[in-house]
Amino acid sequence: GWGGRVEPADPALVDCESQNGGMGRRNVATGETGWSRPSGGGEVRTGVNWNTPFILSPHNSGIHTSAGGRVFRSVSQGSGARAISDILTTTERGAGSAVTELHFSAGDLWVGTDGGGLWYTPDGAATWIDLCAVVTDLIGGLVRAGTVS
């Protein structure tokens, strides 16, 4: 895999990602392994990058979040991931390139896309805010008001 995360509650468990959205888990003490891959139901735009970003929640390491054309979450240590967002990319084959959760606020997720998008959810994925659109609207309003020239 490209990236790995050690489970804080059990350092023998290592989570990793592989090419094209594969997610793995290995118990380095026993050698036991398991693999999964988030599914978008066959939609091209739910695809993933070669190296798919993923995190373990800093609030509960059993919650795994990864980003493709949508954001996926598993609440069972990587198994059974489901989409928790609509499509966040602006291109047909776009995908998430970064994902993080605020350490001081559970459910506050930030996702960047390879097309330059930046999305934020303050409420555990109930609402997604396109921050690029917010900034564009803000700058447009300032320009129209003559504040920025």
Side-chain angles (χ1 to χ4, degrees):
W2 296 104
R5 308 283 186 273
V6 175
E7 291 276 351
D10 185 352
L13 296 176
V14 179
D15 296 279
C16 65
E17 61 92 10
S18 183
Q19 295 84 353
N20 301 317
M23 299 289 161
R25 167 174 280 231
R26 181 174 181 91
N27 184 318
V28 295
T30 66
E32 182 182 0
T33 61
W35 288 93
S36 65
R37 183 180 312 272
S39 172
E43 288 185 57
V44 172
R45 290 190 62 196
T46 60
V48 293
N49 276 325
W50 181 253
N51 54 338
T52 303
F54 84 100
I55 59 168
L56 308 179
S57 172
H59 309 282
N60 177 347
S61 62
I63 299 175
H64 295 205
T65 305
S66 63
R70 298 176 187 263
V71 179
F72 298 93
R73 176 180 291 149
S74 164
V75 295
S76 53
Q77 300 179 315
S79 299
R82 63 176 185 82
I84 60 169
S85 75
D86 288 333
I87 294 172
L88 302 181
T89 58
T90 57
T91 62
E92 189 65 27
R93 296 198 178 269
S97 56
V99 61
T100 194
E101 182 176 7
L102 296 181
H103 285 265
F104 53 83
S105 182
D108 281 11
L109 297 171
W110 295 74
V111 177
T113 68
D114 56 9
L118 180 60
W119 292 83
Y120 168 66
T121 178
D123 51 18
T127 307
W128 286 91
I129 300 166
D130 179 352
L131 294 175
C132 290
V134 170
V135 170
T136 299
D137 290 347
L138 175 65
I139 291 171
L142 292 173
V143 170
R144 283 190 299 279
T147 307
V148 175
S149 57

